[in-house]
Amino acid sequence: MSYHSMDGKTEAPTSPRRARALNLRKAACRAMSALIVLPCLGSTMAFAQASEPLEPQEMTDRFGVIDAIERGDAVALSQLMETSTKPAIRAFAEAGLYRVKMDPGRSNEAAATCISLSRRANDHVQELACTMIQVGNFLLEERPVAWATGVRHIRQSFYPDLRRQYGPLFALRQLENGVDLDAIAHLAEAAPPSATKEGDATDLPFHKIRKGELNPVSTLGLTAVDLLSGPTAFDAIPDTAGFMTLLNEPTARALGILPGPSWLSPARDRSVRSSLGVLPTLVIGHDTLSRVPVAVVSAATPNILGLSTLRRLGYISLSMRHMSVGGRQHRACSRPLTMRSDLIGTNAKVMIPIKVDGKPVNAVFDSGFDGELEQYGIVDPADLAGTKKTVKVATAMGQVDTKYVERAKRVDNGVSEREIVVRTRPSDGAVRYVAGMAILKGAVMDLDFVSGTACVRADATVTP
């Protein structure tokens, strides 16, 4: 068997041990490249591909931790905490575990321990990784200025030394050339976000997003809810696969927020402007949140209610017909709520356990996607056999064309099993699944951000 080196040249066969070492090196480079990518905020249907999963024997170093975080694999992180003989790796795995469980406070405590241990061991690569996860947690806490300050510290402190030491192998280009941190620094963070309140449940019915003065497009399904900020009413898509609340330019202008210098990763259309702002209040059902950070883009995109804002509501319940906010007291749920993300925190997505053709998988649950299931990567070559179709996908940077092949697969959402048509797209990495709202046919998904649990249950309001 032959294999390819880092520069793409074919080399002669070698020992299994040498081959595993080189594969690990390649996987490490993919992971370190993937973890720095700063994807578009609030992307409703775009899916960032992650690096390939590592082999079991490779799950004993820092790149095993990185991969598990990117896959949202709490089980692997728990195992690493128990089995690793290196205290710094155990601390890093713990920081990753609580990131995956959406507990940024405990994640930061473990990251601080990892940073201290890494410095003592003179392991500056791991210090960088643990610092990134610590900084990334600020976004989940809706603290974009603290996030920007932390990224600036990374850029200006030890990362340049590591870059010089390791050369092109360690070129984290998005960290070097990505967001405009100065565009964030003007935001004031004088007061912490308001505390989550618990009250009676409020049902917010879904409707098709309204095209009009505050919405330049109306191409998505029945997933929008009504919101209020000051005297301005607008609608937005609850998006469990977009980490931050995002406003299009017309809505932002109506709310007094104007796009400034770009701080998102470079858009396909460089005429797109983007910035950050803060809503003094945001009314969602019976809940009023204060000081809500929002991203603003000038692209023709719907408004998006992102994951970092949704988690401040404490408890939400999603079905194909409505979103329920509050009313935690009548729910009994024990399955851990997990998400996947990159280390820097800009790519957080809630996970949902499903079965595809009888195989249990963790899929990204994207409530901003009104379809059932999409597959990135192939299980076997037959997955890509057939006529390729093209569809426009709505993202935070506007609409893009994407090609896919339709394949019939049996999918179990935890309540019922049925055969559905899955859109399959090629991918260089391992197979990834993205489940949309239609995966909840006959079911309800409860997300309890306070207790850290999530369950899929039968929808009692739907007649079998």
Side-chain angles (χ1 to χ4, degrees), residues 199-380:
D200 295 333
T202 306
D203 285 337
L204 304 177
F206 286 141
H207 60 264
K208 186 170 184 177
I209 199 160
R210 302 184 186 101
K211 185 174 182 179
E213 183 179 349
L214 300 186
N215 280 308
V217 295
S218 179
T219 59
L220 303 181
L222 304 175
T223 57
V225 296
D226 290 319
L227 305 174
L228 183 68
S229 182
T232 303
F234 61 100
D235 54 8
I237 299 170
D239 190 6
T240 54
F243 85 91
M244 199 171 189
T245 292
L246 179 143
L247 302 177
N248 57 46
E249 190 172 19
T251 304
R253 286 186 180 277
L255 296 170
I257 302 173
L258 304 180
S262 178
W263 82 279
L264 298 177
S265 44
R268 292 178 176 85
D269 180 359
R270 295 194 178 273
S271 66
V272 173
R273 300 181 306 279
S274 59
S275 65
L276 285 180
V278 176
L279 293 179
T281 61
L282 180 63
V283 179
I284 307 172
H286 292 160
D287 287 85
T288 300
L289 304 179
S290 64
R291 299 196 54 77
V292 178
V294 294
V296 179
V297 293
S298 61
T301 183
N303 299 313
I304 293 163
L305 186 62
L307 182 59
S308 60
T309 303
L310 289 172
R311 67 186 291 271
R312 285 173 61 182
L313 298 171
Y315 173 88
I316 65 173
S317 177
L318 293 164
S319 73
M320 290 182 63
R321 297 179 298 111
H322 69 273
M323 177 174 77
S324 178
V325 178
R328 290 184 58 246
Q329 61 275 9
H330 68 277
R331 303 296 182 212
C333 189
S334 59
R335 181 182 292 275
L337 171 63
T338 59
M339 70 173 190
R340 56 163 296 196
S341 74
D342 49 24
L343 292 194
I344 206 67
T346 57
N347 191 20
K349 303 174 186 292
V350 165
M351 309 298 288
I352 181 174
I354 60 174
K355 289 182 180 179
V356 179
D357 286 340
K359 179 183 178 181
V361 299
N362 269 336
V364 168
F365 178 55
D366 185 353
S367 59
F369 167 40
D370 61 355
E372 286 190 283
L373 189 66
E374 298 196 338
Q375 176 182 324
Y376 294 77
I378 62 173
V379 178
D380 61 64

Side-chain angles (χ1 to χ4, degrees), residues 5 17 72 91-92 129 139 151 172 188 196 205 231 261 265 291 295 311-312 314 389 405-406 416 434 445:
S5 64
R17 183 176 179 180
F92 188 22
L139 286 178
V151 174
L172 308 180
T196 298
S265 44
R291 299 196 54 77
R311 67 186 291 271
R312 285 173 61 182
K389 299 183 178 181
V405 174
E406 292 182 339
S416 62
V434 179
M445 186 170 185

Side-chain angles (χ1 to χ4, degrees), residues 15 64 78 84 149 160 165 190 278 286 366 378 396 437 442:
S15 67
S78 297
S84 177
T149 302
Q165 179 181 352
V278 176
H286 292 160
D366 185 353
I378 62 173
M437 288 296 291

Side-chain angles (χ1 to χ4, degrees), residues 134-182:
Q134 190 177 58
V135 169
N137 286 330
F138 293 146
L139 286 178
L140 278 178
E141 297 174 315
E142 292 208 317
R143 298 171 58 195
V145 175
W147 177 84
T149 302
V151 174
R152 183 183 286 111
H153 167 71
I154 292 172
R155 279 183 180 175
Q156 296 176 352
S157 59
F158 52 85
Y159 171 70
D161 290 335
L162 287 174
R163 176 68 168 85
R164 284 189 291 270
Q165 179 181 352
Y166 289 97
L169 184 65
F170 206 76
L172 308 180
R173 304 192 189 286
Q174 291 295 333
L175 182 58
E176 295 173 348
N177 307 315
V179 297
D180 179 4
L181 300 175
D182 292 333

Side-chain angles (χ1 to χ4, degrees), residues 356 372-376 383 404-411 420-425 433-434:
V356 179
E372 286 190 283
L373 189 66
E374 298 196 338
Q375 176 182 324
Y376 294 77
D383 284 338
Y404 63 90
V405 174
E406 292 182 339
R407 303 293 297 175
K409 294 180 181 284
R410 293 203 63 80
V411 175
I420 66 173
V421 174
V422 178
R423 291 179 176 180
T424 302
R425 293 176 172 81
Y433 293 96
V434 179

Side-chain angles (χ1 to χ4, degrees), residues 83-107:
T83 60
S84 177
T85 59
K86 300 177 181 179
I89 293 293
R90 291 200 300 268
F92 188 22
E94 183 178 3
L97 177 64
Y98 287 114
R99 159 68 70 78
V100 166
K101 289 186 173 183
M102 301 189 69
D103 188 340
R106 296 181 72 176
S107 178

